[in-house]
Amino acid sequence: MNGHTNGHTNGAKLVNGASSSYGDGQAVNEIRKFVIDICRQNGGGHGGSAIGMAPLAVALWRHTMRYNPSNPNWFDRDRFVLSNGHAAMLLYAMLHITGYKDMTHDEIKMYADAKAVDKATGKWKSTICHGHPEREVPGVEVTTGPLGQGIANAVGLAIVSKHYAATFNKEDHQLIASRIYCTTGDGCIQEGVALEAMAIAGRLGLSNLTLCYDNNDDTNSKVRAMGWHVIDVFDGDTSVENITAALEAAKLEKDRPTFINIRTTIGYGTSTAGTFKSHHGTYSDDDAAKHLASGVTSTYQLSENALKYFKFTVDEGRRLEDDWNLKLEKYSTAYPKEAKLFKERMGGKLDFDCILTSLTVPSELQPTRQWNGTVFNELISKIPNLMAGGADLWNSNQMGDQSTRIFDRLHPEGRVIRYGIREHAMASISNGLAAYSPGGILPITATFFMFYLYAAPGVRMGALSNLQVIHVATHDSIGEGQNGQTHQPVELDSLYRAMPTLLYIRPADAEEVLGAWMTALAAKEAPSIISLARDPAVTDIPNTSRLQVQRGGYVVLEKENATVTLVSCGSELQFAYLAAERLNSDGIPTRVVSMPCIKLFESQSQEYQDTVLSESPHIISVEAYVASMWARFCTASVAMDSFGYSGLGRENFARFGIDDDGIVRKVKKHVEESNGKKRRHWTLLK
Amino acid sequence: MNGHTNGHTNGAKLVNGASSSYGDGQAVNEIRKFVIDICRQNGGGHGGSAIGMAPLAVALWRHTMRYNPSNPNWFDRDRFVLSNGHAAMLLYAMLHITGYKDMTHDEIKMYADAKAVDKATGKWKSTICHGHPEREVPGVEVTTGPLGQGIANAVGLAIVSKHYAATFNKEDHQLIASRIYCTTGDGCIQEGVALEAMAIAGRLGLSNLTLCYDNNDDTNSKVRAMGWHVIDVFDGDTSVENITAALEAAKLEKDRPTFINIRTTIGYGTSTAGTFKSHHGTYSDDDAAKHLASGVTSTYQLSENALKYFKFTVDEGRRLEDDWNLKLEKYSTAYPKEAKLFKERMGGKLDFDCILTSLTVPSELQPTRQWNGTVFNELISKIPNLMAGGADLWNSNQMGDQSTRIFDRLHPEGRVIRYGIREHAMASISNGLAAYSPGGILPITATFFMFYLYAAPGVRMGALSNLQVIHVATHDSIGEGQNGQTHQPVELDSLYRAMPTLLYIRPADAEEVLGAWMTALAAKEAPSIISLARDPAVTDIPNTSRLQVQRGGYVVLEKENATVTLVSCGSELQFAYLAAERLNSDGIPTRVVSMPCIKLFESQSQEYQDTVLSESPHIISVEAYVASMWARFCTASVAMDSFGYSGLGRENFARFGIDDDGIVRKVKKHVEESNGKKRRHWTLLK
C-alpha cells in the first residue's frame, strides 16, 4: 500500500508482524499454492493466469494500491479492474488475504463450486463468488469476463477520477487522488473494444490509469502509437520489486496513461506452465508441492505469516480513510459551497423532476431527435452529474450542446466526451463512468440506434451490472431513410426488449420524450435506451402524457365496444392514430394504445394491463420492426419481415405498408377475413 | 488499368482517343464536378469524401486495377472495397465512367433520390443505387456503410485470393493474380473491427491487399506495429501520379499488406472544404463552377473527353478476361485434374449430402458441441470449399481438427484461420471470404454463442448481403455453467431469430446436429448459426430426425387429445421430453414438438404448421432464454426472465425451473389454474 513502497522484503526484513524470514517471495509462493489448492479441489477454475500474476498481485495489494478493506466503498480508494476476468480466483484470494470481511475462507472455497448445495434444505448456499468477478461482490469494482470490457471500464473510471479532481480539488486540498489499476492478458488487447478504449485513453491523457499487461507479446509500439507511456518488466514471474518500481514510475507520469508490459508465464512453476492447458487449471500433487510454503499442509490453508504479511492492510486502510475524512472536513471549512455539492455527488443525489415536469412541449411538429436535443441541453446544463458523449454522430444525434465544456486533457472538468467512431468502447467506458461511485456521475451515450449493435456487448454488461447509463439512439427505424438497410434497424429492438434489466423506451412525440427521460433518470439500477426518430412528425397525437410513459403503455384514443385495438410507439404511433380515425369513420370501431416501453407495461398489475388492452377481438401492434415481443399480447401485427430500403422516410413507411394507408388496408382485410372464424395464433398482416 | 501505369498525363499526352489536352487533372476535376452536381440536385449525398478521393479513384480505375466492365464477375478481377461506404457516389460514378452497363446515367441520377416514384403508376422506379453500396449492384463486391466492416471484408477477400493462388497456381501457370484494393477514412480506422482485422492481415502477411487511407491523421506507427508496409502520399488532393506510384510500389511488397496514407481534403475545392459540413455535401453554384470542365454546362454531364479517357477500359477489360481464359485453357491441358477441381470451385459446387446422410450417430450420450466437432471434422476433411476459423476458443468449441492445415503466411493453402480473440473481425472477414466468389469458399466461424454478440454487426451484414457463412456457436445457454451470467446468453436468440434471412438453428441431439448442417449447407444465400450445448445430454430423445430438422419443427412425441403440447429445442428438448412422460403418467396428456429453427417452421404451409402445433389447449414453449418469438404460436412459456448464474449446467436448469422437475411443476400449476377459464394472452409460467 501507499507509504510502504520502500518496504520490499525478499525474506530479509521484519515487516508488520510477519516472521523475519517472510517476504514478497514467500507471499508469492503461498498465493500460488492457494490458487492451485482451490483449482484442484474444484476441478479447474482458470488458475493459470492467477498463478502467473501472483507477483503483480503482491506488488499491487502489498506495496502500491490505496484501499480500505473495512470499507470497500471508501470514496477515494484506488480502483482495481481485472480485465482478464477469468483469473477471478486471484482477485478473490487477494480480497481474502488483505482482510475484506465478506471474502471469508468458506466463500473462497465455493469459487467455481456450483455443487455447493445445502444437503439439508436442497437449496443453494448463499455464495458471492462466481466464475468471473461480479460487481455485487464487495471489493469488485466492475463485472468482467467478456474480454476487453474491463479495459474500457477502467478508462471510464479514470475519466471520473480526473473529472472529480478537476471539479473539486483546490491547490491546497487534493481531495481526489484515486488512481485506476487494470490488469489484462493478451486476449483483452486483441479485442476491438480494448483498442478503441486505449486510443481514447491516450488521446485524453489519462495519467491516473495504469494498465498492467500480463504477457510476453511485443505490443509496445502499437500502444505507444496510441499515446501511452510504456514500461517493461522482464522478470514478472519472480520480481515483486521490479513490478512495484514500475507501478511507482507510472504515478510520476503526468501526461499519459501507463502501460506496464510484464513478462509472465501462465501457470508458472506447474507441469503445464506456458501451455493452453494451464488456462483452465487442473494441477497435480507435484504442482501443489512446488509452491508449498513451510508449515502449510492442508489445502486452502494460508500460513499465519502470510496473513500477517497482508493483514496490516486493514489498519492501514482505516488510517487512509480516516486521513481522507479529515481532509474532507478541512475542505468543507475552506470551501463550504463546493463541499456541499461534493457530498451530494457522493450520495448520488440527482434532481430532475422539476426540470422535466415544467418543460413545455413545442407547438410545431418536429422529429423526436430534435426535441430530444433541446431536452438534453436543458438537462446537462442544469444537472452536474450528467456526463455525455457521442460516437462521432453528435451533430446528427442533435445533441450538440454549445455551453457544456468538452472533456479533454486540458479540461478534465468538461462533461462532454468525444469518443470518436468507437461505439463499443463508448458503452463500456460509460459502465466505468457509472461504476466509479453510482449516481455521482450519470453517463449518457449517443449514436444511431443501428450502431448500438456495435455497442451491444457493453450495453449488456451495464444491464447485468445494474449500472445506470442512458443511451440516446437516434435514426431508429426505416424512417431514417436514405442511408439504407445497413443503417436501418428492424431486429435490434428484439435484442434490447429481451435483455433483462434494460429499459428500451421508444417515445412517439415531444411529450413522450419528456416521459422517457423521467423514466430513464428514475431507473437508478438499470441502463435505458431512449429510441428516437429522424423522420419528421406528420401529425399531433392527442392525449400523450409524460407521466403515463412511466407505466409503459396507456390509452390515447378510447372507443367503446371496439373491434380493433392498435398498439404502437415511436413514429408509427402517429400512423396508427391516423389509421384509427379512418377505421372509425369506416365503421370499424378502433382504439389506440401508446406503448413506449413493453417491459414497464408488463411490470404493471394484470388488471391495469387488461384494461389498457381491452376486450377488443383484434389487438394489433404497429411498428416498423420485426414483431417478436408484441406477440405476447397482440393477436396480429403490422410489422417488417425484411431488411429496410434506401428511400426517404415517409416513402419507406408507405413502401412497407406501415403508414396510415397501409395500416387501414391491412387491418380491414384482416378483420374481414377473420369474420366469424377466430385465428388461434398471432398473425403477421400482409 | 494494369499495363497503363506509365500512361500518366497531366494534360500533355494524347491517350486513348481523348483530346491531347485531356489528362488525369481534367478527369479529377470533372469527377468532382459530377459528384457536386448530383449532391446538389438531390439535396445531399455524402459528396465530401467522394470529392476528396477523386485523384485516388483516377489512380485506381484508370491506372491500376484489373477489371472487366463487361463482366463484373470475371473470376480473376481485382476486387475493390469502399469501406467508407458513405462515399458510394464515387464508386457509382467510377462504375459509370468506366462503362459498367447497368450503371447508366439515369441510375446515377437516382442516387439518394428516394422520390424517384413513377408518377403514372405510383410505384417506385427500379433503381440499383442506394445511399450506401449494396452488393446486388454489379461492380459492388461487398455491402458497406457501417464503418470498419469493409476493411474486414477486404481482409477476407485477400485471404481467398492468396488461398486460391496457393491451391491452384503452378510455377508456370499464375492463374490467380487478383489483388484487393480497399479505401478507408479515419472513421473505419477507429472502429475496433477494423483494428482487429488489420492485426490479422498483418499477421497473415496478406501482401495482395492494399488499403488506401484517405486522411491526414498520423496512424502510421500504429499500423506499422500491426505488421503492415506503410507508404505516404502527401499531395493526395492533386497528384494522381504519386498515388498511382504508391499503388505500384504496393504490388512489389511480397510479405506484408500495404497501407497507403493519402493526405486529402474532404470536399476539396468547395466552400465547405475540410469541415464536417462537407460530409453530407450540399454545394453552391460557386462550388460547382470551380470544378467545371470546359464544354460541360448542364448538371450530371460528363464531357466526351472524360468518357473517352475511361471508356477504353471496356476493351481493355475484355482483353484481360480473354487473356485469362486462355491461361485457364492452357492450365486445363497441363493440369486436367486441378482444372476440374478449380472449375467446380468457380461454379460454387458443394457436395455434402452423402456425407451427412451416411453418418451414424453415436450410441453414447454426449454434448451436442462434442458430436458437432466430429461432424465438422468429417466435413472439412472431405469438402475443400470449407474454410473455418475460431476466435481463440477453437478447443473449447471442440472444432480442433488435426488434419487440416492452418492458414498462415507460409501456408496460404491452409483452411483453418486463427483469428485470435477478435469475434467481430472474424464474422466480417468471413463475409469477405464468402463474397470473393460465392460457393467457392464457404466460411465457418466458431466461438461461444454469447460472443456472437461481439460479432453481431458482422453477422448482420452477412445476412443483408445474402452471404452463406456458417457460424458454430457453442456454450449456448445457462447450461454452460460455471462461467456465469457474463457468458450465458438469455436474450441473444431474440436478436438472431428476428434478423431477416439468417437461420438460427438449435439442434437437440446428435441426429439433429446432422440436420442442422444439412440445413445450413443448403442455404446458399443466407448465413446460419448452429447453436450447440456444452452441457452433457441426460437422455435419448426418440424420433428426432436429421431430415425433419429442415422443416424447422416436427412432432417427436404424439398423443391423441392432448391437453398440452410442449415445444422445445436444444438441451431443453430432453427435459421437455422427460416432463411429458411424467405428465402423461400423471393424467395430463402431453405431446412434444422439436423446433430447432422457428424461421424455417414459419415458412412451411399453414396446414403443416397447424398439424404440428395441434389443437391442444395449451401450447407451451420450453427454452432457457427470454421468450420472445415463441409467443407467436405458444399460449405460455417455460423460460428465463433474468440473467443466468454461475453454477454447474444441470443445477442451473433446476435453479431456474427449466429441468423436467421445473417443467412438470409449472405446467401442472398452469393447467390447474386455467381450468375452465381461458387466459387470453401468452403467459410466462412461474
Side-chain angles (χ1 to χ4, degrees):
Chain A
M1 293 176 100
N2 211 21
H4 291 263
T5 49
N6 299 321
H8 291 291
T9 57
N10 285 297
K13 281 190 282 181
L14 181 78
V15 176
N16 296 296
S19 88
S20 61
S21 64
Y22 202 91
D24 290 343
Q26 285 73 15
V28 167
N29 265 353
E30 210 166 317
I31 290 165
R32 284 174 169 154
K33 163 67 167 48
F34 192 58
V35 166
I36 289 171
D37 281 347
I38 292 164
C39 290
R40 290 186 73 206
Q41 179 138 327
N42 289 324
H46 291 116
S49 301
I51 290 169
M53 292 199 299
L56 173 59
V58 173
L60 282 170
W61 271 274
R62 181 66 173 72
H63 300 296
T64 306
M65 288 200 296
R66 297 160 55 255
Y67 58 95
N68 181 6
S70 308
N71 178 12
N73 296 320
W74 168 40
F75 194 87
D76 198 41
R77 69 192 178 276
D78 290 344
R79 267 87 173 162
F80 174 80
V81 177
L82 186 82
S83 193
N84 43 348
H86 53 271
M89 184 65 257
L90 183 67
L91 176 51
Y92 298 156
M94 296 317 294
L95 293 178
H96 172 61
I97 206 169
T98 53
Y100 282 71
K101 58 183 179 302
D102 293 285
M103 194 55 74
T104 62
H105 205 255
D106 282 346
E107 284 294 343
I108 290 274
K109 288 166 78 171
M110 283 190 278
Y111 166 73
D113 184 7
K115 290 178 193 151
V117 178
D118 189 308
K119 294 290 175 200
T121 64
K123 287 188 180 168
W124 276 264
K125 288 183 192 169
S126 162
T127 166
I128 58 171
C129 283
H130 298 280
H132 291 81
E134 297 184 10
R135 204 178 142 250
E136 67 268 25
V137 179
V140 175
E141 302 287 349
V142 286
T143 301
T144 54
L147 294 173
Q149 296 295 333
I151 292 178
N153 296 160
V155 171
L157 292 167
I159 287 173
V160 177
S161 176
K162 280 263 179 195
H163 176 72
Y164 273 130
T167 308
F168 293 105
N169 280 6
K170 305 290 178 184
E171 206 168 345
D172 47 348
H173 293 265
Q174 297 298 306
L175 198 59
I176 304 300
S178 77
R179 291 185 58 81
I180 316 302
Y181 293 92
C182 178
T183 59
T184 175
D186 50 351
C188 288
I189 298 258
Q190 291 177 9
E191 288 286 6
V193 61
L195 297 173
E196 290 176 4
M198 287 169 71
I200 292 169
R203 183 164 53 74
L204 296 180
L206 301 177
S207 56
N208 57 343
L209 171 61
T210 302
L211 177 58
C212 303
Y213 180 34
D214 169 51
N215 198 22
N216 49 12
D217 225 31
D218 182 22
T219 59
N220 287 358
S221 51
K222 195 196 294 191
V223 176
R224 265 191 209 101
M226 289 193 277
W228 288 58
H229 169 215
V230 174
I231 305 176
D232 282 305
V233 175
F234 292 98
D235 47 2
D237 280 327
T238 51
S239 175
V240 174
E241 188 161 4
N242 286 344
I243 298 172
T244 306
L247 291 165
E248 286 304 307
K251 291 186 192 169
L252 301 176
E253 165 64 42
K254 293 302 170 209
D255 292 326
R256 296 167 296 176
T258 296
F259 181 81
I260 307 181
N261 189 337
I262 307 172
R263 274 61 162 192
T264 67
T265 309
I266 192 167
Y268 178 80
T270 67
S271 53
T272 56
T275 73
F276 77 89
K277 286 184 185 160
S278 199
H279 178 79
H280 283 99
T282 42
Y283 302 108
S284 66
D285 284 346
D286 261 14
D287 290 336
K290 271 184 202 156
H291 289 292
L292 198 67
S294 64
V296 180
T297 48
S298 71
T299 59
Y300 292 122
Q301 204 176 314
L302 288 164
S303 71
E304 274 303 302
N305 276 322
L307 293 171
K308 278 184 193 154
Y309 194 63
F310 282 97
K311 278 285 162 62
F312 84 99
T313 56
V314 173
D315 289 341
E316 175 70 4
R318 284 210 188 94
R319 190 189 62 73
L320 283 170
E321 182 164 357
D322 288 347
D323 284 358
W324 186 79
N325 284 332
L326 205 63
K327 222 192 248 185
L328 178 57
E329 214 169 283
K330 286 181 188 159
Y331 182 86
S332 305
T333 311
Y335 302 96
K337 209 178 98 196
E338 285 89 337
K340 180 171 175 289
L341 287 171
F342 178 70
K343 286 171 184 171
E344 284 175 4
R345 299 291 285 282
M346 281 180 69
K349 192 181 167 196
L350 187 74
D351 283 329
F352 59 87
D353 254 351
C354 63
I355 302 172
L356 290 169
T357 47
S358 65
L359 268 179
T360 311
V361 298
S363 53
E364 72 281 10
L365 291 172
Q366 49 179 247
T368 49
R369 75 159 165 165
Q370 187 180 337
W371 169 242
N372 179 74
T374 309
V375 176
F376 164 73
N377 284 325
E378 188 71 13
L379 290 168
I380 198 165
S381 67
K382 294 191 175 154
I383 307 178
N385 311 48
L386 302 188
M387 188 172 249
D392 210 41
L393 291 166
W394 198 240
N395 290 305
S396 287
N397 299 135
Q398 302 200 340
M399 305 277 280
D401 167 62
Q402 306 303 321
S403 61
T404 306
R405 199 187 266 282
I406 307 285
F407 180 106
D408 62 27
R409 59 172 70 231
L410 296 178
H411 301 287
E413 74 278 16
R415 292 187 291 122
V416 171
I417 300 172
R418 289 183 169 154
Y419 288 106
I421 306 178
R422 301 179 177 103
E423 298 85 1
H424 193 167
M426 173 174 74
S428 304
I429 287 173
S430 292
N431 291 339
L433 298 177
Y436 190 92
S437 173
I441 292 289
L442 198 173
I444 295 169
T445 77
T447 186
F448 288 4
F449 184 38
M450 193 65 252
F451 300 119
Y452 279 101
L453 188 57
Y454 278 59
V459 175
R460 181 182 203 264
M461 291 298 286
L464 69 77
S465 304
N466 291 104
L467 293 169
Q468 186 179 25
V469 179
I470 300 177
H471 303 288
V472 176
T474 67
H475 299 62
D476 75 348
S477 77
I478 54 167
E480 177 279 331
Q482 293 168 326
N483 282 312
Q485 51 185 255
T486 62
H487 285 52
Q488 294 167 1
V490 296
E491 77 285 47
L492 188 53
D493 68 294
S494 292
L495 173 72
Y496 285 122
R497 281 170 166 155
M499 189 174 282
T501 311
L502 180 135
L503 298 178
Y504 174 74
I505 312 167
R506 194 161 178 247
D509 65 5
E511 175 70 20
E512 287 199 347
V513 167
L514 294 168
W517 278 98
M518 285 173 160
T519 309
L521 287 164
K524 293 281 184 201
E525 304 228 314
S528 300
I529 295 176
I530 300 180
S531 182
L532 301 159
R534 177 208 186 194
D535 47 298
V538 298
T539 187
D540 267 322
I541 310 160
N543 301 318
T544 54
S545 154
R546 67 190 79 176
L547 294 176
Q548 292 278 44
V549 166
Q550 297 165 73
R551 307 184 82 169
Y554 62 101
V555 181
V556 291
L557 179 68
E558 196 47 276
K559 186 84 185 172
E560 291 219 346
N561 300 316
T563 304
V564 174
T565 296
L566 297 177
V567 186
S568 187
C569 62
S571 298
E572 294 87 305
L573 183 64
Q574 58 188 341
F575 298 123
Y577 175 72
L578 291 172
E581 285 195 321
R582 287 167 56 183
L583 289 165
N584 278 319
S585 305
D586 295 352
I588 301 177
T590 302
R591 49 200 295 286
V592 180
V593 169
S594 172
M595 193 166 300
C597 184
I598 295 177
K599 194 171 282 159
L600 280 177
F601 178 71
E602 287 188 317
S603 72
Q604 305 302 311
S605 70
Q606 193 58 55
E607 194 190 346
Y608 178 78
Q609 292 183 49
D610 290 345
T611 309
V612 170
L613 294 172
S614 85
E615 291 292 322
S616 63
H618 301 285
I619 302 177
I620 301 173
S621 73
V622 176
E623 191 173 33
Y625 296 153
V626 173
S628 51
M629 220 48 102
W630 292 118
R632 289 180 167 198
F633 45 80
C634 292
T635 59
S637 295
V638 172
M640 296 289 289
D641 66 349
S642 70
F643 289 109
Y645 186 78
S646 180
L648 285 189
R650 186 67 181 77
E651 281 75 12
N652 256 357
F653 286 113
R655 165 177 281 260
F656 293 102
I658 307 179
D659 64 348
D660 42 333
D661 284 349
I663 299 166
V664 168
R665 176 173 49 76
K666 290 175 179 176
V667 169
K668 280 186 176 174
K669 182 162 166 261
H670 180 63
V671 169
E672 198 173 299
E673 283 173 1
S674 58
N675 196 15
K677 53 180 177 178
K678 168 124 180 55
R679 260 289 287 146
R680 181 136 185 256
H681 303 298
W682 170 91
T683 313
L684 175 64
L685 302 191
K686 300 272 185 184
Chain B
M1 290 177 100
N2 212 21
H4 290 263
T5 48
N6 300 321
H8 291 291
T9 57
N10 286 296
K13 281 188 282 180
L14 181 79
V15 176
N16 296 296
S19 89
S20 63
S21 65
Y22 202 91
D24 290 343
Q26 285 73 14
V28 168
N29 265 355
E30 211 166 316
I31 290 164
R32 284 174 169 155
K33 163 68 168 48
F34 192 58
V35 166
I36 289 171
D37 281 348
I38 291 163
C39 290
R40 289 186 73 206
Q41 180 137 326
N42 289 324
H46 290 118
S49 301
I51 290 169
M53 291 200 298
L56 173 60
V58 173
L60 282 169
W61 271 273
R62 182 64 176 70
H63 299 297
T64 305
M65 288 199 298
R66 298 160 56 255
Y67 58 94
N68 180 6
S70 307
N71 178 12
N73 296 321
W74 168 39
F75 194 87
D76 198 41
R77 69 191 178 278
D78 290 344
R79 268 87 173 158
F80 174 79
V81 177
L82 186 83
S83 193
N84 43 348
H86 53 272
M89 185 66 257
L90 183 67
L91 176 51
Y92 297 156
M94 296 317 294
L95 294 178
H96 172 61
I97 204 168
T98 54
Y100 282 71
K101 57 182 181 303
D102 293 286
M103 194 56 73
T104 63
H105 205 254
D106 282 346
E107 283 296 344
I108 290 273
K109 288 166 78 170
M110 283 189 278
Y111 166 73
D113 184 6
K115 289 178 194 151
V117 178
D118 188 309
K119 294 289 176 201
T121 64
K123 287 187 178 168
W124 275 265
K125 288 183 192 169
S126 162
T127 167
I128 58 172
C129 284
H130 298 280
H132 291 81
E134 297 184 11
R135 204 178 141 250
E136 67 268 24
V137 179
V140 175
E141 303 286 349
V142 286
T143 301
T144 53
L147 293 175
Q149 297 294 333
I151 292 178
N153 296 160
V155 171
L157 292 166
I159 287 173
V160 178
S161 176
K162 280 263 178 195
H163 176 72
Y164 273 129
T167 307
F168 292 104
N169 280 5
K170 304 291 178 183
E171 206 168 345
D172 47 349
H173 293 265
Q174 297 299 306
L175 199 58
I176 303 299
S178 77
R179 292 184 59 81
I180 316 304
Y181 293 92
C182 178
T183 58
T184 175
D186 50 352
C188 288
I189 299 256
Q190 292 176 9
E191 288 287 5
V193 62
L195 297 173
E196 290 177 3
M198 288 170 71
I200 292 168
R203 183 163 54 74
L204 296 178
L206 301 177
S207 57
N208 58 342
L209 172 61
T210 302
L211 176 58
C212 303
Y213 180 34
D214 169 51
N215 198 22
N216 49 12
D217 225 31
D218 182 23
T219 59
N220 288 357
S221 51
K222 196 196 291 189
V223 176
R224 267 193 206 99
M226 289 193 278
W228 288 57
H229 169 216
V230 174
I231 305 176
D232 281 303
V233 175
F234 292 99
D235 48 2
D237 279 326
T238 51
S239 176
V240 174
E241 188 162 3
N242 287 343
I243 297 172
T244 306
L247 291 166
E248 287 304 307
K251 291 186 191 168
L252 302 176
E253 165 64 41
K254 293 302 171 210
D255 293 326
R256 297 168 295 175
T258 296
F259 181 80
I260 307 182
N261 189 338
I262 308 172
R263 273 59 162 195
T264 67
T265 308
I266 192 167
Y268 178 80
T270 67
S271 53
T272 56
T275 72
F276 77 89
K277 286 183 184 162
S278 199
H279 178 80
H280 283 98
T282 40
Y283 302 109
S284 65
D285 285 344
D286 260 14
D287 291 335
K290 271 184 202 157
H291 290 291
L292 198 68
S294 63
V296 180
T297 48
S298 71
T299 59
Y300 291 122
Q301 204 177 315
L302 287 162
S303 71
E304 274 305 303
N305 276 323
L307 293 172
K308 277 183 193 155
Y309 194 64
F310 282 96
K311 277 285 162 63
F312 85 99
T313 56
V314 173
D315 290 341
E316 175 71 3
R318 284 209 188 94
R319 189 189 64 72
L320 283 169
E321 183 165 356
D322 288 347
D323 286 357
W324 186 80
N325 284 333
L326 205 65
K327 223 190 246 183
L328 179 57
E329 215 169 282
K330 287 181 188 161
Y331 181 85
S332 304
T333 311
Y335 302 97
K337 208 179 97 195
E338 285 90 337
K340 181 172 174 290
L341 287 171
F342 178 70
K343 285 171 184 170
E344 285 176 4
R345 299 291 288 282
M346 279 179 70
K349 192 180 165 196
L350 188 73
D351 283 329
F352 58 87
D353 253 350
C354 63
I355 303 172
L356 290 170
T357 46
S358 65
L359 270 178
T360 312
V361 298
S363 53
E364 72 281 11
L365 292 171
Q366 48 179 246
T368 49
R369 74 158 167 167
Q370 188 180 335
W371 168 243
N372 179 75
T374 309
V375 177
F376 164 74
N377 284 326
E378 188 72 12
L379 290 168
I380 197 164
S381 67
K382 294 190 176 156
I383 307 177
N385 312 47
L386 302 188
M387 190 173 248
D392 210 41
L393 291 166
W394 198 239
N395 290 307
S396 287
N397 299 135
Q398 301 199 341
M399 305 276 280
D401 167 61
Q402 305 303 320
S403 61
T404 306
R405 199 187 266 283
I406 307 285
F407 180 107
D408 61 27
R409 57 172 71 231
L410 296 178
H411 302 287
E413 73 278 16
R415 292 188 291 122
V416 171
I417 300 171
R418 289 181 169 156
Y419 288 105
I421 306 177
R422 300 178 178 105
E423 298 85 2
H424 193 168
M426 174 174 72
S428 304
I429 287 174
S430 293
N431 291 339
L433 298 177
Y436 189 92
S437 173
I441 293 290
L442 199 172
I444 295 169
T445 76
T447 186
F448 288 4
F449 184 39
M450 193 65 252
F451 300 120
Y452 280 100
L453 187 57
Y454 277 60
V459 175
R460 182 183 202 264
M461 290 299 286
L464 68 78
S465 303
N466 291 104
L467 293 169
Q468 186 178 24
V469 179
I470 299 178
H471 303 288
V472 176
T474 67
H475 299 62
D476 75 348
S477 77
I478 55 167
E480 176 279 330
Q482 293 168 327
N483 281 312
Q485 52 183 253
T486 61
H487 286 50
Q488 295 167 0
V490 296
E491 77 286 48
L492 188 52
D493 69 293
S494 292
L495 174 71
Y496 285 121
R497 281 170 167 155
M499 189 175 282
T501 311
L502 181 135
L503 298 178
Y504 174 74
I505 313 167
R506 193 159 179 248
D509 64 5
E511 175 70 20
E512 287 200 347
V513 166
L514 293 168
W517 279 98
M518 286 174 161
T519 309
L521 287 164
K524 293 281 183 199
E525 304 228 313
S528 300
I529 294 176
I530 299 179
S531 180
L532 301 159
R534 176 207 185 194
D535 46 298
V538 298
T539 187
D540 268 320
I541 310 160
N543 301 318
T544 53
S545 155
R546 65 190 81 175
L547 294 175
Q548 291 278 44
V549 166
Q550 297 166 71
R551 307 184 81 170
Y554 62 102
V555 180
V556 291
L557 179 68
E558 194 49 275
K559 187 82 187 173
E560 292 218 346
N561 299 317
T563 305
V564 173
T565 297
L566 296 178
V567 187
S568 188
C569 62
S571 299
E572 294 87 304
L573 183 65
Q574 57 187 342
F575 297 124
Y577 175 72
L578 291 173
E581 286 195 320
R582 287 165 57 182
L583 289 166
N584 278 320
S585 306
D586 295 353
I588 301 178
T590 301
R591 48 200 296 285
V592 180
V593 168
S594 171
M595 194 165 301
C597 184
I598 296 177
K599 194 172 281 161
L600 280 177
F601 178 72
E602 288 188 316
S603 72
Q604 306 301 311
S605 71
Q606 192 59 54
E607 194 189 345
Y608 177 78
Q609 292 183 48
D610 289 345
T611 310
V612 170
L613 293 173
S614 86
E615 291 292 325
S616 64
H618 300 285
I619 302 177
I620 300 174
S621 72
V622 176
E623 192 173 30
Y625 297 152
V626 173
S628 50
M629 220 48 101
W630 293 117
R632 289 179 167 199
F633 46 79
C634 293
T635 58
S637 295
V638 172
M640 297 288 289
D641 67 349
S642 70
F643 289 109
Y645 185 78
S646 181
L648 284 189
R650 186 68 182 76
E651 282 75 11
N652 255 357
F653 286 113
R655 166 178 281 260
F656 293 103
I658 307 181
D659 64 348
D660 42 333
D661 283 349
I663 299 166
V664 167
R665 177 172 48 76
K666 290 175 178 176
V667 169
K668 279 187 176 174
K669 181 161 168 262
H670 180 63
V671 169
E672 198 173 301
E673 283 174 359
S674 57
N675 196 14
K677 54 177 177 179
K678 167 130 179 52
R679 258 292 283 146
R680 181 136 186 254
H681 304 298
W682 169 91
T683 313
L684 174 65
L685 301 191
K686 299 274 185 184

